[in-house]
Amino acid sequence: MSVPSVSKPFLWWCAVMTVIILLCVIAYRTGSAWYHNHQLRKDFPAAAAASPYQQGVPLEQMDLSTYRSYFPGNMAEPAYSLTHRIEAPVSLQYYTEIPAGDAAVAMEIPKGTMIKAIPEETQGSSFYELGYGYTSYPTYEQGWRYVRPFKTEEAASPGLGEEYYYIQIDSLEAVLDAAIRANKPFRAAVRQQHWSLERGTHSFARYIDDVLHQNGAYLSPDLFYRSFDRWNMLLLGAVVVITVVLLRPGSWFPRIRR
């Protein structure tokens, strides 16, 4: 039994509709990012007394204890067990300053190293300690964070010190993602917020940023959404490919028979 062939006009219109849908998705995502960024600026309650961030004080010279009053005090021990130590899912590279070019790495924790992702004794909740690990302070440059390195199993590890370094937020999000996956209570917390794991990781990594914003101390660049992100680039790439197909119907849309 023969199956009716698929006509070229039908395939052409399917491709056109796909392009239109993809362009609408790109426009929606770009518009949503723009609106989010606009609301951040609009709703920022700048404090009457300018904070060190607002004064542009370099982080190396900043007294970070200034902001401790914004955060909750010590919490009771959790009623559930946690997986505190995990293997570093990526190589963690720390710098003494935000690199402008081929700056040397000040210290590195190789991928696979056992690190203390969740401290046993913290200054806040059971999930974070201010200025340690992935609970980092924002910098003046998007994507770069100021933080104390993760502690490792090695007694002589530089991560055991209290010195702060600069690191890219993508690396910290990778560790945070692994820590959430390794701990059921945190996965449950993400689900309770009706978030995806990706969104939960994004939000938790910017915990300090959110609190600084709420208190009018700093509008972190890491709170802003990229107007044209990786997904928009992929969608635009798909639009370009399909458009090429549409411009060469004779080569790309042969009559399909079975």
Side-chain angles (χ1 to χ4, degrees), residues 92-128:
L92 301 169
Q93 297 182 331
Y94 295 89
Y95 298 84
T96 54
E97 61 183 12
I98 297 176
D102 297 329
V105 176
M107 68 164 289
E108 181 174 359
I109 299 177
K111 178 180 179 180
T113 301
M114 192 64 68
I115 60 174
K116 185 184 293 185
I118 304 175
E120 283 85 354
E121 298 179 1
T122 68
Q123 300 167 344
S125 75
S126 58
F127 192 48
Y128 67 81

Side-chain angles (χ1 to χ4, degrees), residues 37-219:
N37 296 342
H38 172 73
Q39 289 299 113
L40 271 180
R41 296 186 182 93
K42 178 183 176 183
D43 298 338
F44 178 60
S51 71
Y53 267 115
Q54 291 170 304
Q55 296 174 34
V57 176
L59 272 79
E60 298 89 344
Q61 303 172 21
M62 194 180 295
D63 181 7
L64 298 176
S65 64
T66 302
Y67 309 110
R68 290 198 178 278
S69 61
Y70 300 158
F71 300 89
N74 290 333
M75 304 289 287
E77 286 297 317
Y80 42 78
S81 61
L82 297 174
T83 300
H84 295 271
R85 299 176 184 276
I86 63 173
E87 290 186 359
V90 296
S91 177
L92 301 169
Q93 297 182 331
Y94 295 89
Y95 298 84
T96 54
E97 61 183 12
I98 297 176
D102 297 329
V105 176
M107 68 164 289
E108 181 174 359
I109 299 177
K111 178 180 179 180
T113 301
M114 192 64 68
I115 60 174
K116 185 184 293 185
I118 304 175
E120 283 85 354
E121 298 179 1
T122 68
Q123 300 167 344
S125 75
S126 58
F127 192 48
Y128 67 81
E129 179 181 336
L130 296 178
Y132 171 79
Y134 43 70
T135 314
S136 57
Y137 286 92
T139 66
Y140 299 108
E141 185 172 330
Q142 189 175 41
W144 285 94
R145 312 294 293 186
Y146 194 60
V147 71
R148 303 194 311 276
F150 289 100
K151 295 179 181 178
T152 68
E153 297 293 334
E154 300 177 14
S157 169
L160 292 174
E162 294 300 309
E163 187 174 356
Y164 278 78
Y165 293 87
Y166 293 93
I167 187 173
Q168 290 184 303
I169 195 171
D170 291 348
S171 298
L172 300 184
E173 286 180 331
V175 177
L176 183 52
D177 177 87
I180 294 174
R181 292 178 185 274
N183 288 277
K184 185 176 179 180
F186 301 138
R187 297 200 305 273
V190 170
R191 289 195 299 269
Q192 287 174 0
Q193 294 292 331
H194 304 290
W195 290 342
S196 65
L197 180 58
E198 182 179 5
R199 183 179 176 186
T201 299
H202 181 278
S203 298
F204 289 145
R206 292 158 179 79
Y207 168 71
I208 289 183
D209 308 51
D210 284 328
V211 176
L212 292 176
H213 176 272
Q214 293 166 14
N215 286 274
Y218 185 48
L219 182 52

